[in-house]
Amino acid sequence: MSKFIDYLQTKTFRKNLIIATGSILLFLIVIFYSLGFYTHHGEGMPVPKLKGLSIEKAVELLEGKGLRYQINDSIYLIDKPPGLVVEQDPDPNTNVKSNRTIYLIITRDAPNIKFPDIQGRTFLEVRSILNNYQLKVGDTTYKSDVAKDVILEALFGGNIISKGQSIPKGSSINLVLGDGLGASEVDIPNLLGLDLSEARMALLGSSLTLGTVSFEGIQDTANARVIKQFPAISDTLSKVSIGTPIDVVLGGGN
């Protein structure tokens, strides 16, 4: 034991100790810098902000920076179009190395639902029903009907839609409601061949009035018949407003 202690006190031991310690430090330094070089320590690039971009724009931006992407999930958002980036990992401005995979969550198309039964319900009821089905109220127009603010028709994409039809969730539904005034237009009756009394009764039954009465080439007005009326029934005109006066020309009473 005394020899070992004596050896520790020799110049040779101290020299070997210094050499060993230096060798270890040198080895550690070499390892540290080698790992830094191998892993490109300190090198990288910030992740761009992708949220709010279309998937096409996001992919173009990532590929331009030498980064990869993977779509992890897709979700439906009522006010967002499909194919929009809503989440990303890593977050924007995170420093990453080239060829790193960026994980994305994008929006997808709306799922289909069955259209609810709204026929004959009031506007306030229907607005609540559509909201519960995650549908939106679009344009509202009014049509002559005795029922005020009652749904007469529901339209999607310009076509009438009825209970049970499939429709994308979040769609906008246009509504046609009754104005509470009833019919404001009536069919023009055919008065040709009627005498004046019959013509007057036909107009009264149609909620119309007798306008100007004139005669054409006759002497016996008692047997005269309607040979012309204004307005007349045509391909472009078959209805007039309630109370419209109808002018008639009588003839054929010679």
Side-chain angles (χ1 to χ4, degrees), residues 3 15 20 25 51 65 96 100 105 119 145 148 150-151 154 170 219 246 252:
K3 289 183 178 182
K15 180 180 178 181
L25 288 175
K51 188 174 180 179
K65 291 181 174 293
V96 298
R100 170 72 179 271
I105 297 177
Q119 194 71 23
D145 194 87
K148 183 173 175 59
V150 169
I151 304 303
Q219 296 177 352
I246 306 297

Side-chain angles (χ1 to χ4, degrees), residues 121-251:
R121 297 177 182 269
T122 66
F123 175 71
L124 291 178
E125 289 179 301
V126 169
R127 185 170 61 181
S128 177
I129 291 171
L130 294 181
N131 183 62
N132 289 338
Y133 276 76
Q134 295 189 39
L135 296 170
K136 295 182 285 188
V137 175
D139 295 332
T140 55
T141 55
Y142 286 86
K143 185 177 179 180
S144 296
D145 194 87
V146 293
K148 183 173 175 59
D149 290 332
V150 169
I151 304 303
L152 303 179
E153 292 176 347
L155 304 171
F156 171 66
N159 299 314
I160 295 176
I161 184 170
S162 56
K163 174 186 175 182
Q165 286 185 243
S166 290
I167 185 173
K169 187 182 290 187
S171 298
S172 183
I173 307 299
N174 297 333
L175 301 172
V176 179
L177 297 84
D179 60 9
L181 301 176
S184 59
E185 291 188 332
V186 293
D187 292 327
I188 302 172
N190 184 7
L191 305 178
L192 300 181
L194 303 181
D195 63 26
L196 187 57
S197 177
E198 291 170 334
R200 185 179 283 108
M201 289 301 295
L203 291 172
L204 182 62
S206 297
S207 300
L208 301 172
T209 60
L210 181 63
T212 302
V213 178
S214 57
F215 299 89
E216 186 176 288
I218 62 171
Q219 296 177 352
D220 183 7
T221 58
N223 295 319
R225 301 282 173 171
V226 177
I227 58 173
K228 296 177 184 177
Q229 68 180 73
F230 304 98
I233 302 172
S234 67
D235 292 337
T236 57
L237 181 65
S238 62
K239 292 180 179 291
V240 291
S241 299
I242 290 175
T244 298
I246 306 297
D247 300 333
V248 296
V249 177
L250 287 85

Side-chain angles (χ1 to χ4, degrees), residues 17-205:
L17 179 63
I18 292 173
I19 293 172
T21 303
S23 299
I24 292 172
L25 288 175
L26 180 62
F27 175 76
L28 292 175
I29 291 172
V30 170
I31 292 296
F32 176 78
Y33 282 103
S34 296
L35 287 175
F37 176 78
Y38 178 75
T39 59
H40 302 283
H41 180 69
E43 294 182 13
M45 66 186 74
V47 176
K49 180 181 179 182
L50 306 173
K51 188 174 180 179
L53 298 180
S54 67
I55 184 62
E56 293 82 9
K57 282 293 256 182
V59 169
E60 181 181 345
L61 189 57
L62 291 173
E63 289 180 345
K65 291 181 174 293
L67 298 171
R68 295 181 295 166
Y69 78 96
Q70 180 176 316
I71 297 175
N72 258 13
D73 197 6
S74 62
I75 58 175
Y76 165 68
L77 296 177
I78 190 169
D79 292 320
K80 302 293 183 183
L84 204 66
V85 177
V86 291
E87 294 294 341
Q88 68 179 85
D89 182 30
D91 292 329
N93 298 317
T94 302
N95 206 45
V96 298
K97 297 179 179 62
S98 178
N99 211 35
R100 170 72 179 271
T101 298
I102 309 300
Y103 298 95
L104 306 174
I105 297 177
I106 65 173
T107 54
R108 58 180 169 83
D109 288 319
N112 283 343
I113 60 171
K114 299 293 185 181
F115 191 69
D117 183 12
I118 64 171
Q119 194 71 23
R121 297 177 182 269
T122 66
F123 175 71
L124 291 178
E125 289 179 301
V126 169
R127 185 170 61 181
S128 177
I129 291 171
L130 294 181
N131 183 62
N132 289 338
Y133 276 76
Q134 295 189 39
L135 296 170
K136 295 182 285 188
V137 175
D139 295 332
T140 55
T141 55
Y142 286 86
K143 185 177 179 180
S144 296
D145 194 87
V146 293
K148 183 173 175 59
D149 290 332
V150 169
I151 304 303
L152 303 179
E153 292 176 347
L155 304 171
F156 171 66
N159 299 314
I160 295 176
I161 184 170
S162 56
K163 174 186 175 182
Q165 286 185 243
S166 290
I167 185 173
K169 187 182 290 187
S171 298
S172 183
I173 307 299
N174 297 333
L175 301 172
V176 179
L177 297 84
D179 60 9
L181 301 176
S184 59
E185 291 188 332
V186 293
D187 292 327
I188 302 172
N190 184 7
L191 305 178
L192 300 181
L194 303 181
D195 63 26
L196 187 57
S197 177
E198 291 170 334
R200 185 179 283 108
M201 289 301 295
L203 291 172
L204 182 62

